Amino acid sequence: MAGVPVILGVKSLVLPIEPYLVTDRQMSTILRARQKLVVPCMRRFGFAWPDPDPGTGDSAGMPPGMKNAANMDRRYGITDPALAARHGYHFAPDAGQRTTREPPATRPDADALAVLTGRTGDGTPAPSRYHGLAVPEGGCQGQATARLTGGRPLGNDPLAGEINIVSYQKSRADPRVKAVFRAWSACMRKRGHSYAAPTDAPGKDPRFTGPAPTRQEIALAEADVACKRQTNVIGVWFTVDTAYQRRMMASKGPELAHAKDAVRIQTANAARVLNGDR
């Protein structure tokens, strides 16, 4: 692909849609604030609901391995040779990551679930009153979410989230990316590994899904990263991914401004809640 930059890693890459997505730090703050709002609501109905753990680190409350909303660390598969040599396809332990503590309510009983979500176990609407008290619309969790979002969806705006996902899907199927996948596959064959595309490696092969990386896994991961660098997989894929995003964003200025405003509202409200304003 003419004019495509050679890109060996993803650390400095930022996709056009990222400013419109909720970051890991922001989502952690929002989730902790929602838990803090849920606590007094549930206790008002007589449930012993513990205070949330404040969590630590930028990724508190986020799924393991998730570093930002676009998942750049793994969007194009593994890309860091040092991490591949040490951890294979496994995620490196993150000392700063700690998930927020879920209440024993992780599996609430039927009454608690109805008050928490406004729904029964089968998803039907729960009674609007519990022990004579009116249950908020959407339960305590729905009330907390509305308090943080102003009635908008929690987390990413649907349009921003869609652009983030669709651009990845379209870029992965793009002929230019498929061509660089073929080059990567040829490189891998020379190293003794048979995979049609980086998205196929390592798959669900039980040799690579254990609790710790094996020598085989590390060898495969090192070859994967080396061939990505040799054939410029990241440079081509990121360039195509970016182009699709820009195309989808071009006519959505007002909607994306709304999405960015939604992120600002959620994070500002969450900060106020965590600072003591309920």
Side-chain angles (χ1 to χ4, degrees):
M1 247 177 92
V4 173
V6 175
I7 302 176
L8 302 182
V10 297
K11 287 184 179 179
S12 63
L13 300 184
V14 179
L15 286 164
I17 198 61
E18 287 193 63
Y20 304 91
L21 297 171
V22 178
T23 67
D24 61 338
R25 181 192 291 267
Q26 290 167 335
M27 197 65 210
S28 173
T29 300
I30 292 165
L31 292 176
R32 287 188 287 118
R34 184 172 71 170
Q35 286 192 38
K36 187 172 181 179
L37 290 171
V38 164
V39 169
C41 179
M42 292 298 289
R43 289 178 180 173
R44 184 164 60 87
F45 287 92
F47 296 101
W49 215 254
D51 291 312
D53 189 312
T56 59
D58 292 352
S59 302
M62 299 300 292
M66 178 67 79
K67 299 298 183 183
N68 72 353
N71 192 24
M72 289 304 296
D73 280 1
R74 292 290 179 109
R75 190 175 182 96
Y76 309 125
I78 58 170
T79 56
D80 187 314
L83 291 178
R86 188 169 181 182
H87 301 289
Y89 290 90
H90 285 65
F91 288 107
D94 185 350
Q97 178 170 309
R98 183 176 159 203
T99 57
T100 52
R101 183 182 63 195
E102 294 291 336
T106 306
R107 289 184 180 145
D109 62 27
D111 288 343
L113 179 67
V115 173
L116 178 66
T117 67
R119 296 272 170 178
T120 63
D122 62 8
T124 57
S128 60
R129 302 187 74 82
Y130 180 78
H131 289 182
L133 296 176
V135 177
E137 183 176 355
C140 290
Q141 195 170 78
Q143 177 179 258
T145 297
R147 162 76 174 78
L148 294 171
T149 68
R152 301 179 184 185
L154 184 75
N156 288 325
D157 175 88
L159 173 63
E162 180 183 8
I163 290 171
N164 180 44
I165 294 169
V166 171
S167 74
Y168 174 82
Q169 294 171 335
K170 287 187 173 183
S171 64
R172 178 174 166 175
D174 187 278
R176 295 163 292 182
V177 173
K178 284 189 171 182
V180 82
F181 282 0
R182 288 193 293 272
W184 173 90
S185 181
C187 174
M188 290 291 282
R189 280 197 301 274
K190 292 178 181 178
R191 294 169 180 261
H193 306 287
S194 180
Y195 292 94
T199 51
D200 296 337
K204 296 181 179 180
D205 190 320
R207 293 176 299 168
F208 310 132
T209 56
T214 62
R215 291 181 189 173
Q216 287 176 307
E217 177 182 338
I218 287 173
L220 175 62
E222 288 181 313
D224 183 347
V225 173
C227 286
K228 281 191 177 90
R229 293 163 74 92
Q230 181 177 318
T231 59
N232 197 27
V233 166
I234 303 169
V236 173
W237 200 349
F238 176 75
T239 299
V240 174
D241 200 0
T242 296
Y244 277 113
Q245 288 195 0
R246 286 179 175 156
R247 190 179 307 168
M248 287 186 282
M249 295 168 68
S251 62
K252 301 293 184 181
E255 295 91 339
L256 289 170
H258 180 84
K260 186 175 283 188
D261 190 50
V263 175
R264 180 191 61 78
I265 288 171
Q266 290 181 69
T267 52
N269 286 338
R272 280 194 287 269
V273 167
L274 293 176
N275 286 330
D277 178 7
R278 297 198 183 193

